Amino acid sequence: MRKNNNLLRSGNPALNSKAFENFSVTQEKTMTLQGTVNKTIISLMILVVCGGFTYYSANTSWVWPGLIGGFIVALVTVFKKEWSPITVPIYAVLEGLALGGISHIYANLGFMDQVDPVTGVVTQQSNNIVSTAILLTVGIFFSLLFLYKSRIIKVTENFKLGVVAATGGIFIFYMVSWVISMFGGQVSILDPTNGSMMSIGISLFIVVIASLNLVMDFDFIEEASEKGVPKYMEWYGAFGLLVTLVWLYLEILRLLAKLNSRD
């Protein structure tokens, strides 16, 4: 067991320093990293199925109900962790419905007019932005999980401080952008159609920080597993990973849309 007095720091708001406190240590049916990963995969499968429903039906009306409902369920999960086996799948359903609609909107941004050189007929062809974002998100998740479990990436205190500080800065940036939008303004560097180098660079930086938060989550969950917390906390750990993965996927979508806007 690792000795770490500076216990369980993560940039993920769902996996804060108080998330795994006040549990009695037991030797039976305790939380494990592999169990948490398995439940994360189950949650992701639910999310993808629900996302596929709204994406292929082009039903964007679920975006706001899904986001608002997901936020409410997330709050319930944070305060009632023992309900995680029920609330986390519900959260995955709602987020899936929302992400499917959002993905459809981004896919429409990625349609390009194609002219047949022989007939001169103009058609539209997708640039596969959504499938690319999904593959990149899944690839980053399993790659970082492998690098973490093989100890190629080591989570030091400096690593934690850097990621937490960067995540906090991004959160403040999001909040400032939201306040500006409330007054009719817009932060152009967040616009998915802004293909400037600065805009792309900022999105790339956010994607990197979101990815590093996955490593923080793995470390956080492993430390919690060593403390012998109850088995149902695997679902809560999966919830924390799901929050990070949703953020990562959305930022990859935004980055790809910006890159495509340069074509």
Side-chain angles (χ1 to χ4, degrees):
M1 182 177 294
R2 287 174 292 174
K3 296 180 180 179
N4 189 353
N5 295 325
N6 193 3
L7 179 65
L8 303 178
R9 181 190 293 128
S10 173
N12 189 328
L15 301 180
N16 58 47
S17 59
K18 297 181 180 179
F20 296 98
E21 291 181 353
N22 301 321
F23 290 108
S24 58
V25 177
T26 176
Q27 297 300 319
E28 297 182 359
K29 296 183 179 180
T30 58
M31 176 183 182
T32 64
L33 177 62
Q34 187 59 54
T36 303
V37 171
N38 293 340
K39 289 174 175 60
T40 301
I41 293 173
I42 293 172
S43 300
L44 285 173
M45 291 175 62
I46 295 172
L47 187 149
V48 169
V49 169
C50 294
F53 167 74
T54 51
Y55 177 78
Y56 288 109
S57 64
N59 187 354
T60 59
S61 63
W62 273 102
V63 171
W64 283 110
L67 290 176
I68 295 173
F71 178 72
I72 294 173
V73 174
L75 289 178
V76 173
T77 305
V78 169
F79 290 104
K80 287 290 185 179
K81 299 176 181 61
E82 64 272 20
W83 294 359
S84 295
I86 297 174
T87 59
V88 174
I90 294 174
Y91 175 79
V93 169
L94 293 170
E95 286 297 307
L97 293 174
L99 290 182
I102 293 172
S103 298
H104 177 74
I105 294 172
Y106 270 94
N108 284 339
L109 290 176
F111 274 85
M112 303 172 290
D113 289 338
Q114 301 290 323
V115 181
D116 189 297
V118 177
T119 64
V121 176
V122 179
T123 58
Q124 286 188 320
Q125 181 176 344
S126 171
N127 60 11
N128 299 319
I129 186 175
V130 173
S131 58
T132 302
I134 292 173
L135 289 174
L136 285 173
T137 303
V138 173
I140 289 172
F141 174 78
F142 284 107
S143 296
L144 289 177
L145 178 61
F146 169 77
L147 292 174
Y148 175 77
K149 293 188 71 173
S150 61
R151 303 307 181 198
I152 295 175
I153 293 181
K154 296 181 180 180
V155 183
T156 64
E157 286 304 308
N158 287 335
F159 178 93
K160 293 179 181 180
L161 287 171
V163 174
V164 170
T167 304
I170 292 170
F171 175 76
I172 293 172
F173 178 61
Y174 283 155
M175 290 298 100
V176 171
S177 302
W178 178 73
V179 171
I180 292 175
S181 68
M182 293 292 289
F183 291 94
Q186 183 183 14
V187 179
S188 62
I189 55 178
L190 290 178
D191 187 343
T193 62
N194 184 349
S196 69
M197 293 304 296
M198 177 178 290
S199 179
I200 290 174
I202 289 175
S203 283
L204 183 59
F205 173 76
I206 295 175
V207 167
V208 170
I209 296 304
S211 301
L212 293 179
N213 266 276
L214 285 174
V215 179
M216 297 275 286
D217 294 345
F218 296 147
D219 184 68
F220 191 95
I221 291 167
E222 185 174 33
E223 287 192 40
S225 301
E226 292 175 351
K227 297 183 72 66
V229 298
K231 189 74 172 176
Y232 67 78
M233 289 298 290
E234 290 179 350
W235 282 103
Y236 188 81
F239 165 68
L241 285 173
L242 205 59
V243 169
T244 302
L245 286 169
V246 167
W247 176 34
L248 175 61
Y249 170 72
L250 288 174
E251 290 301 336
I252 289 176
L253 265 183
R254 194 201 305 266
L255 175 61
L256 292 176
K258 290 179 179 181
L259 291 171
N260 287 337
S261 70
R262 296 175 62 87
D263 296 335

